[in-house]
Amino acid sequence: MIQHVVMDMDGVLYRGDHPLPGAVDTLNALWTRGVRVAFLTNNASRHREELAARLSRLGFACAAGDVWGSAYIAALYLSHHAPGARVFLVGTAGMRREMEEAGIAVVPTHEGATHVVAGLDMTITYEKLSHAHYAICNGAAFIATNLDATFPDGPTTTTPGGGALVAALTTSTGVTPLVMGKPEPAGLSLIAASWGVTADDMAVVGDRLDTDIAAANAFGCLSVLVLTGVSTRAEAERAGAAEKPGVVLESLVDLPAVLEGRCRANSALDDPNQAQGGLSIA
Ligand SMILES: [Mg+2]
């Protein structure tokens, strides 16, 4: 039985301000059985405590230590790989707090910056972009928390995401960033290390083929697509190997059966008998 699960949040546990049917009970059942659960999100604008508080308000009783946002992942990455880094941030107060708690020095301008970390920043200015641009042109390493094109600001509307700001800097400098968020597997790698397990012992659950499933496949663990969010069964059927889910579920409620090995991975997704039921396997 798989005892370590990494979950995406929006589209897996909740949509908007509403938990998905059965999701709270499923999480509680997993915890009762001793399954360890980490919540991995590309959201870089909020500190882990804010992300955990939101989950708790929705009924998912998690701790801040269970939540891995891409700002935290960037901070951990820097503390492991670049101790002594001096970072110019394009990001929010939550991102700054993650850096400072990891012991990363945040600098106010491009001067002396060894790294630029860029993500969603609702107070972006041309001056801030220019400092990031100068730093990268002067040789600072360029790290993106995520490449999300949009940020959902309502049930049907979006605003520019962190990826849109990263794209401005990629265009102006010609430098491609190292990306911390999904679909890159950096976050999964750090979570696995914190648990002391390998990819074989883990499953990743998400609602997007191009981020959640791609990251899981790149890392080499079981990838589970739930159909309660963005990606559809038809898209899963059409997906190439990099984004092909190992398992497709109608909802999170079916996850315990997968973890217990009561359904197989890697059988045909297009088997009509499988596709009719709540469980189907890619
Ligand atoms: Mg999602």
Side-chain angles (χ1 to χ4, degrees), residues 8 10-11 207 212:
D8 177 49
D10 199 356
D207 70 308
D212 306 313

Side-chain angles (χ1 to χ4, degrees), residues 3-267:
Q3 291 278 9
H4 298 84
V5 179
V6 178
M7 288 197 193
D8 177 49
M9 293 162 53
D10 199 356
V12 174
L13 301 171
Y14 57 82
R15 290 193 81 160
D17 287 327
H18 303 286
L20 285 159
V24 170
D25 288 344
T26 301
L27 250 292
N28 287 334
L30 294 177
W31 278 321
T32 299
R33 291 180 217 182
V35 175
R36 297 192 71 176
V37 181
F39 303 94
L40 177 63
T41 173
N42 273 1
N43 187 322
S45 62
R46 299 193 184 283
H47 186 272
R48 283 162 292 151
E49 280 180 6
E50 298 172 78
L51 294 166
R54 174 168 162 73
L55 282 176
S56 295
R57 271 198 306 278
L58 292 170
F60 304 98
C62 68
D66 300 330
V67 181
W68 298 66
S70 61
Y72 176 58
I73 292 163
L76 267 190
Y77 177 87
L78 285 168
S79 67
H80 288 178
H81 296 280
R86 295 167 56 79
V87 178
F88 182 78
L89 288 183
V90 176
T92 61
M95 186 195 288
R96 171 182 290 268
R97 189 176 156 205
E98 292 289 11
M99 294 293 157
E100 291 175 345
E101 287 179 3
I104 306 295
V106 176
V107 295
T109 71
H110 66 282
E111 287 175 29
T114 60
H115 293 72
V116 169
V117 177
L120 183 61
D121 185 342
M122 281 90 155
T123 59
I124 189 69
T125 61
Y126 191 77
E127 183 184 6
K128 206 184 274 188
L129 272 181
S130 297
H131 280 300
H133 172 91
Y134 291 142
I136 296 166
C137 289
N138 289 340
F142 182 18
I143 292 175
T145 54
N146 64 77
L147 298 181
D148 294 7
T150 57
F151 184 80
D153 71 334
T156 58
T157 57
T158 61
T159 53
L165 304 185
V166 170
L169 292 169
T170 302
T171 300
S172 71
T173 63
V175 176
T176 303
L178 179 66
V179 181
M180 295 287 113
K182 299 173 280 189
E184 297 302 320
L188 294 176
S189 183
L190 287 167
I191 293 169
S194 81
W195 280 336
V197 301
T198 66
D200 290 340
D201 302 314
M202 288 167 55
V204 169
V205 186
D207 70 308
R208 288 187 72 121
L209 296 169
D210 60 349
T211 53
D212 306 313
I213 302 305
N217 290 352
F219 188 59
C221 62
L222 177 63
S223 57
V224 180
L225 179 74
V226 290
L227 298 173
T228 46
V230 171
S231 296
T232 65
R233 185 183 296 280
E235 288 166 347
E237 288 169 356
R238 285 198 302 270
E243 297 185 4
K244 188 68 120 182
V247 180
V248 180
L249 302 178
E250 290 293 327
S251 87
L252 194 65
V253 172
D254 301 319
L255 182 66
V258 173
L259 301 182
E260 290 163 12
R262 285 193 276 125
C263 69
R264 289 176 302 123
N266 301 320
S267 62

